[in-house]
């Protein structure tokens, strides 16, 4: 068993053990076992960084074994600079989510923790899969634990939100499956994704494949106008569910564009880039304006996620190194920042049981330590220099200006909207005199919550101050991808 298999199956193993052994009367032991499993799963991913060679665009840590021999399907794993950082990011966020749910979840604790650990392994599988069918299995399997997390531990309308999440993402994925089967037949019976990258495909076939991929990945990102499921799901999901959804699951769709849409259908990707850029800019500008009028904190951050992911898809489809690298950096940074924003909302919700902005006011007076963390994450969400939120957005804006000045200018306006809605929310919730008796009785964060927020704060600042380790890993792979996409595959 190689390092990638360990990264995938270690959290799944611990999750299965929790489901089999845990009971609510042993909740304390269950929580510690879940934390142990999450930490071990994170430690397993660390040797990947020390063993990764930045100088090559080839797949590394490759594992390949027959799976369904009759149809030439393989258990085929590997990482390159594009997919690398999402493996440790997923494991890190899982540790944070286990800590976050320590006291908030009191029923079916083993199932809650087990679902997150299994989900972690499945998401790492998506980023590691080099076989088309294996990718599809992992991609669809992630829906099951998240569906259960929303449907069991969610808010009053949790069943509606869980069904909406499941149906939206499943319907898009059916077109992905048809595209994968077409490629399997056209390649002479191979599910190898890298083989598909070199297929000579006619323009019509490329266009159909591009929109087949688009149906699955755009819903997952989610791009405008198929983003409407996200705010409902975020509002109803438990805090940990919202954090993982924003930090990792949205990235599965964006990753799909880089692994499938652009390299397999490069001519269609260039032909329809105007549409992708237009939809991205609508997400960045229009959805940013929608975020401004939200009264529910979770809805505001959910719309903020749609706007920030618009930067990612914009960066990818301007086809230059700054744009694609910036999009990838933005995906990682958004994982830290949006996860932190949702966890901060969870800290307040656990105490007051309201997500309405109007239910707060002057929180800084009773929770000064917490308000300091919340300010840092709010500034990162605005794209303040020296925070993770700045690096990716700045690279994408530079890449957009390189492609077209007016495109860059329009994208840059989003930073103004981002600052407006984030700081306005911070002002109304945290600043000023104490708003009501609920706020007056609040107690500052405990040691567990401090640890959870401190880990995220360190990640946000470290990435903002010194992003070189992140960009160094991806540079060669991004250059190779752009070189590949620049060459026509028309037969």
């Amino acid at each position: 068993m190689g390092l990638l298999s360990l990264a995938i199956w270690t959290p799944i193993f611990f999750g299965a053990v929790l489901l089999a052994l845990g009971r609510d009367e042993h909740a304390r032991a269950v929580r510690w076992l879940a934390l142990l499993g999450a930490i071990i799963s994170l430690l397993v991913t660390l040797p990947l960084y020390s063993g990764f060679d930045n100088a090559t665009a080839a797949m590394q840590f490759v594992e390949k074994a027959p799976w369904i021999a009759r149809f030439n399907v393989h258990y085929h794993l590997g990482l390159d600079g594009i997919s690398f950082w999402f493996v440790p990011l997923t494991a890190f966020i899982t540790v944070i989510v286990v800590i976050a749910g320590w006291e908030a979840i009191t029923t079916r604790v083993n199932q809650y923790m087990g679902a997150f650990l299994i989900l972690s392994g499945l998401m790492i599988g998506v980023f590691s899969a080099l076989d088309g069918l294996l990718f599809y299995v992992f991609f669809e399997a992630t829906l099951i634990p998240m569906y259960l997390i929303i449907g069991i531990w969610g808010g009053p309308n949790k069943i509606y939100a869980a069904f909406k999440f499941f149906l939206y993402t499943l319907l898009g994925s059916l077109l992905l499956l048809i595209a994968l089967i077409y490629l399997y037949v056209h390649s002479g019976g191979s599910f190898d994704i890298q083989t598909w990258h070199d297929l000579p495909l006619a323009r019509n076939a490329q266009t159909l494949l591009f929109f087949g991929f688009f149906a699955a990945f755009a819903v997952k990102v989610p791009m405008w106008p198929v983003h409407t499921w996200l705010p409902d799901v975020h509002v109803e999901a438990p805090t940990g569910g919202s954090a993982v959804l924003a930090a990792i699951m949205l990235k599965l769709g964006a990753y799909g564009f880089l692994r499938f849409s652009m390299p397999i259908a490069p001519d269609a990707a260039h032909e329809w880039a105007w549409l992708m850029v237009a939809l991205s800019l609508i997400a960045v500008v229009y959805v940013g304006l929608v975020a401004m009028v939200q009264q529910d904190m979770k809805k505001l951050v959910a719309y903020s996620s749609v706007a920030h992911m618009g930067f990612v898809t914009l960066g990818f489809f301007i086809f230059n190194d700054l744009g694609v690298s910036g999009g990838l950096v933005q995906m990682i940074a958004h994982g830290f920042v949006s996860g932190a924003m949702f966890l901060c909302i969870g800290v307040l919700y656990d105490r007051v049981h309201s997500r309405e902005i109007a239910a707060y006011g002057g929180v800084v007076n009773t929770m000064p330590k917490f308000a300091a963390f919340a300010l840092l994450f709010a500034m990162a969400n605005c794209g303040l220099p020296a925070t993770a939120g700045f690096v990716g957005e700045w690279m994408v804006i530079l890449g957009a200006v390189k492609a077209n000045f007016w495109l860059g200018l329009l994208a840059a306006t989003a930073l103004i909207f981002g600052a407006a809605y984030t700081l306005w929310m911070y002002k109304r919730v945290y600043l000023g005199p104490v708003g009501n008796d609920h706020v007056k009785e609040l107690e500052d964060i405990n040691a567990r919550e401090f640890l959870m927020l401190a880990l995220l704060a360190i990640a946000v600042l470290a990435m903002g101050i010194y992003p070189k380790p992140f960009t160094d890993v991806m540079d060669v792979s991004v250059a190779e991808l752009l070189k590949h996409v620049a060459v026509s595959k028309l037969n």
Side-chain angles (χ1 to χ4, degrees):
M1 186 178 274
L3 283 173
L4 282 178
S5 284
L6 277 173
I8 293 168
W9 297 107
T10 301
I12 293 175
F13 169 76
F14 275 98
V17 168
L18 286 169
L19 293 180
L21 301 181
R23 295 289 181 272
D24 279 350
E25 56 266 28
H26 307 305
R28 180 178 169 80
V30 164
R31 292 183 182 107
W32 281 108
L33 181 60
L35 182 60
L36 177 68
I39 290 171
I40 291 172
S41 302
L42 175 60
L43 293 176
V44 163
T45 67
L46 299 183
L48 293 170
Y49 182 72
S50 58
F52 193 85
D53 182 2
N54 294 344
T56 176
M59 289 291 169
Q60 301 178 49
F61 311 106
V62 174
E63 301 173 40
K64 189 171 184 180
W67 179 26
I68 307 172
R70 183 180 174 187
F71 296 106
N72 198 24
V73 181
H74 289 84
Y75 176 77
H76 190 187
L77 306 173
L79 289 180
D80 63 357
I82 289 168
S83 55
F84 172 81
W85 274 111
F86 299 106
V87 173
L89 174 65
T90 303
F92 174 73
I93 294 295
T94 305
V95 173
I96 300 293
V97 165
V98 168
I99 297 171
W102 201 268
E103 292 172 5
I105 303 301
T106 55
T107 58
R108 301 184 177 182
V109 178
N110 66 311
Q111 294 171 24
Y112 178 86
M113 298 294 186
F116 274 111
L117 285 164
I118 291 168
L119 178 61
S120 173
L122 295 173
M123 291 189 296
I124 291 171
V126 174
F127 294 120
S128 308
L130 297 180
D131 181 278
L133 191 63
L134 183 66
F135 173 90
Y136 185 79
V137 169
F138 279 131
F139 190 77
E140 290 300 274
T142 59
L143 299 182
I144 299 166
M146 184 53 82
Y147 173 79
L148 295 173
I149 288 163
I150 299 163
I152 296 173
W153 295 277
N157 293 322
K158 59 190 177 186
I159 303 301
Y160 164 77
F163 267 99
K164 193 171 185 180
F165 162 75
F166 198 88
L167 292 176
Y168 260 74
T169 46
L170 182 67
L171 287 172
S173 300
L174 292 176
L175 291 174
L176 169 65
L177 181 61
I178 293 167
L180 297 182
I181 292 170
Y182 173 86
L183 287 165
Y184 171 75
V185 173
H186 195 78
S187 62
S190 172
F191 273 111
D192 189 284
I193 295 171
Q194 290 172 291
T195 301
W196 291 348
H197 288 183
D198 298 317
L199 285 179
L201 296 165
R203 186 177 293 277
N204 288 343
Q206 284 200 35
T207 301
L208 290 171
L209 285 169
F210 182 83
F211 282 103
F213 294 140
F214 176 85
F217 301 142
V219 170
K220 205 84 160 187
V221 166
M223 294 181 72
W224 184 91
V226 288
H227 68 290
T228 55
W229 62 271
L230 187 73
D232 290 333
V233 171
H234 269 313
V235 166
E236 298 304 324
T239 302
S242 287
V244 167
L245 185 64
I248 312 295
M249 285 198 82
L250 305 189
K251 313 306 183 292
L252 302 181
Y255 171 74
F257 283 124
L258 290 184
R259 190 59 84 217
F260 288 86
S261 305
M262 290 165 65
I264 293 173
D267 299 291
H270 280 286
E271 184 182 349
W272 292 99
W274 66 269
L275 176 66
M276 300 298 292
V277 168
L279 294 179
S280 300
L281 286 173
I282 291 171
V284 166
V285 178
Y286 166 69
V287 178
L289 291 170
V290 171
M292 278 192 198
V293 299
Q294 299 305 314
Q295 300 303 313
D296 183 303
M297 287 188 285
K298 262 197 170 185
K299 266 199 174 173
L300 189 149
V301 179
Y303 281 114
S304 166
S305 282
V306 177
H308 283 105
M309 290 304 290
F311 265 101
V312 172
T313 46
L314 172 65
F316 290 171
F317 284 91
I318 52 181
F319 296 106
N320 61 40
D321 52 350
L322 269 173
V324 177
S325 294
L328 280 167
V329 170
Q330 172 71 352
M331 285 164 74
I332 301 161
H334 182 257
F336 295 134
V337 176
S338 66
M341 293 286 284
F342 279 113
L343 290 167
C344 284
I345 295 168
V347 168
L348 290 174
Y349 184 80
D350 288 345
R351 288 160 167 77
V352 180
H353 300 292
S354 173
R355 290 182 298 267
E356 293 296 315
I357 293 171
Y360 296 92
V363 171
V364 68
N365 297 293
T366 48
M367 302 180 73
K369 284 190 285 188
F370 173 63
F373 279 120
L375 180 62
L376 170 64
F377 299 135
M379 290 298 180
N381 203 49
C382 299
L384 183 77
T387 64
F390 171 77
V391 185
E393 288 183 5
W394 182 240
M395 289 171 75
V396 170
I397 290 169
L398 286 177
V401 167
K402 196 173 164 185
N404 182 305
F405 172 79
W406 297 107
L407 200 63
L409 183 66
L410 199 56
T413 59
L415 295 179
I416 301 165
F417 297 142
Y421 60 69
T422 307
L423 295 179
W424 195 35
M425 177 183 77
Y426 188 86
K427 172 186 174 289
R428 288 181 289 168
V429 173
Y430 294 92
L431 302 182
V434 172
N436 54 52
D437 289 341
H438 290 301
V439 175
K440 194 174 183 179
E441 293 165 6
L442 288 177
E443 292 183 6
D444 213 343
I445 48 175
N446 57 33
R448 176 186 58 82
E449 292 165 327
F450 186 92
L451 172 66
M452 169 183 82
L453 297 175
L455 289 171
L456 284 164
I458 291 166
V460 166
L461 289 171
M463 188 175 183
I465 293 166
Y466 191 63
K468 194 171 183 291
F470 297 90
T471 54
D472 280 357
V473 164
M474 61 186 67
D475 281 347
V476 176
S477 294
V478 166
E480 186 65 29
L481 172 68
L482 289 170
K483 184 176 157 190
H484 175 87
V485 171
V487 179
S488 175
K489 294 290 180 293
L490 288 174
N491 60 2

